[in-house]
Amino acid sequence: MTDIKPFRIDIPEAELSALRRRLSETRWPSEAPGDDWRYGQPVASLRELVEYWLDGYDWRAQEARLNRYPQFTTGIDGQNVHFLHVPSPEPDAFPLILTHGWPGSIVEFLDVIGPLTDPRAHGGDPADAFHLVVPSIPGYGLSGPTRDAGWDSRRVARAWAELMRRLGYDRYGAHGNDAGSIITPEVGRFDGEHVAGVHVTQVFSLPSGDPAEMADLTEDEGRRLAILGRFWEETSGYHKVQSTKPQQLAFALTDSPVGQLAWSLQLLWSGEDAKEVREALTPDFVLTNVMLYWLTGTAGSSARLYYEDAHSGAVADGPTTVPLGVAVFPNDFQSIRRFADRDHANIVRWTEYDRGGHYSGRDAPDLLTEDLRAFFRLVR
């Protein structure tokens, strides 16, 4: 079970044919009044995307793109773990593990693999090279469904520490986005002896309820809290469902590819996304992420990460102390420094950018690449 085995994606044609049949037989809901984003995904835009899924999207091309990278599986803590392992051609490259979120996947990072592993070939300094490990979170995509309860962010973090040990990396860095921004600091907390630094694109540190924390908020901090409040008020239904009754959701999404697409799309596209974000998050990007959930039947198990985190009862043992770097993108969760400093005692780099969104590895890969290089120069 602890062996590391080569892996290659090869979806049987029969599964793709069954998917096309289901798509062609979709039972569509009526349009909501105005058919705009107030009520959720507009029917017309989803129909257009499903038509492309049927007649334009090429899974085999996306499968081939993924298969260009060395892939492996191994068993950790009773769970299958799938990962890309892309060594750098530079002998002194620094090991770095990248962790995606929901409803994303390893596809989030495909555009940064080349620049990070081979900066010499992409106009960068070879001294900034990384050996990359890009795993699929247990219960997500090609790792397959989790088999037992308790796979919360801390357990994933422990699995990542074991994965890096198993690959022979005694000292390494860690980066995360979305759920990865929760998992990755826990990697540093659990394996601080070997983790040189942690880098994230969100710090989910919120007001504690202490009135003193709110007494002298700056105008910018108030603006950031307002963005969070609006998101929670208008878009957080997915979080409530997935953290309370994820199995109820699993029945619908495992049976309906359009249901899986619509549920994922609420956090991949929205009517308020900046133009450059929508242009970068192409139909191929969206559908390949969705396909990795659909083809592996991981709608329910991926949602369970929210449940496990909500019910773990774990309490942080003080602030994290491993060096932390934070990259904040404008079309994303707006991290607030004063709350981040409360929960993380060693923030050594905090950078605010003027473009990019939640999937910065896709819509601002140049900025994410340079931020990772700059941060790890400080700690590697």
Side-chain angles (χ1 to χ4, degrees):
M1 189 67 173
T2 60
D3 292 345
I4 294 175
K5 301 176 181 179
F7 179 84
R8 183 175 178 83
I9 307 170
D10 186 14
I11 302 300
E13 189 61 35
E15 290 193 32
L16 301 181
S17 296
L19 169 62
R20 287 190 289 269
R21 176 183 57 78
R22 285 175 176 268
L23 291 173
S24 67
E25 296 175 355
T26 298
R27 186 180 182 211
W28 291 96
S30 60
E31 293 184 354
D35 200 31
D36 58 29
W37 286 90
R38 287 176 300 164
Y39 294 92
Q41 176 73 43
V43 174
S45 63
L46 194 64
R47 274 186 178 272
E48 183 178 350
L49 189 53
V50 170
E51 288 170 4
Y52 176 74
W53 200 355
L54 265 169
D55 299 325
Y57 176 73
D58 185 351
W59 164 255
R60 292 301 184 199
Q62 301 301 318
E63 186 180 71
R65 185 187 184 201
L66 287 164
N67 281 334
R68 286 202 292 270
Y69 301 105
Q71 299 176 70
F72 304 87
T73 61
T74 191
I76 300 177
D77 194 10
Q79 171 63 36
N80 182 67
V81 173
H82 162 271
F83 60 98
L84 308 183
H85 186 200
V86 190
S88 171
E90 303 296 338
D92 296 326
F94 188 68
L96 177 64
I97 185 168
L98 308 177
T99 306
H100 66 84
W102 182 92
S105 70
I106 58 172
V107 175
E108 292 181 32
F109 299 119
L110 295 185
D111 292 334
V112 299
I113 289 176
L116 289 176
T117 58
D118 193 3
R120 187 191 302 270
H122 293 80
D125 184 345
D128 288 326
F130 296 94
H131 299 307
L132 291 185
V133 179
V134 191
S136 300
I137 296 173
Y140 284 63
L142 296 165
S143 283
T146 41
R147 299 184 177 94
D148 60 354
W151 275 99
D152 63 1
S153 293
R154 292 189 174 195
R155 188 171 174 185
V156 177
R158 293 194 297 270
W160 282 184
E162 170 59 20
L163 176 60
M164 297 303 275
R165 185 201 66 78
R166 200 172 291 181
L167 291 171
Y169 294 134
D170 184 63
R171 189 167 183 270
Y172 63 94
H175 163 75
N177 178 57
D178 190 81
S181 283
I182 298 172
I183 293 165
T184 300
E186 295 304 318
V187 178
R189 191 192 299 274
F190 176 76
D191 199 27
E193 181 181 352
H194 301 104
V195 176
V198 164
H199 184 277
V200 297
T201 41
Q202 304 89 19
V203 177
F204 296 112
S205 293
L206 306 175
S208 66
D210 181 351
E213 278 191 338
M214 309 294 287
D216 61 344
L217 287 180
T218 67
E219 181 179 349
D220 181 63
E221 289 169 338
R223 177 189 65 82
R224 291 171 188 243
L225 276 178
I227 291 172
L228 171 63
R230 187 164 61 250
F231 175 86
W232 196 251
E233 180 70 22
E234 299 176 1
T235 315
S236 64
Y238 77 93
H239 190 285
K240 187 66 173 177
V241 173
Q242 295 188 172
S243 61
T244 55
K245 297 295 181 186
Q247 193 65 12
Q248 296 302 114
L249 182 67
F251 293 106
L253 302 194
T254 304
D255 187 61
S256 170
V258 172
Q260 177 70 77
L261 172 60
W263 191 255
S264 297
L265 205 58
Q266 63 183 311
L267 290 187
L268 287 167
W269 280 357
S270 81
E272 297 181 354
D273 280 340
K275 180 181 177 182
E276 67 270 17
V277 172
R278 288 292 297 267
E279 289 176 347
L281 305 187
T282 62
D284 281 353
F285 174 82
V286 168
L287 291 171
T288 301
N289 277 289
V290 170
M291 286 286 278
L292 289 177
Y293 290 81
W294 173 259
L295 293 170
T296 58
T298 52
S301 57
S302 62
R304 286 199 295 271
L305 178 64
Y306 287 75
Y307 179 94
E308 300 294 358
D309 277 352
H311 293 81
S312 70
V315 178
D317 184 21
T320 68
T321 57
V322 168
L324 177 67
V326 184
V328 182
F329 295 92
N331 300 302
D332 192 12
F333 179 89
Q334 294 295 285
S335 304
I336 299 175
R337 180 67 188 259
R338 73 165 67 198
F339 302 140
D341 284 331
R342 178 196 66 207
D343 297 336
H344 303 281
N346 195 8
I347 298 176
V348 300
R349 178 179 166 87
W350 181 288
T351 311
E352 307 260 348
Y353 289 101
D354 61 2
R355 61 180 170 89
H358 191 63
Y359 298 96
S360 55
R362 173 66 183 182
D363 59 50
D366 57 331
L367 299 183
L368 180 61
T369 295
E370 184 48 45
D371 208 82
L372 284 165
R373 290 172 176 169
F375 170 69
F376 282 102
R377 285 182 203 128
L378 303 175
V379 300
R380 62 192 295 165

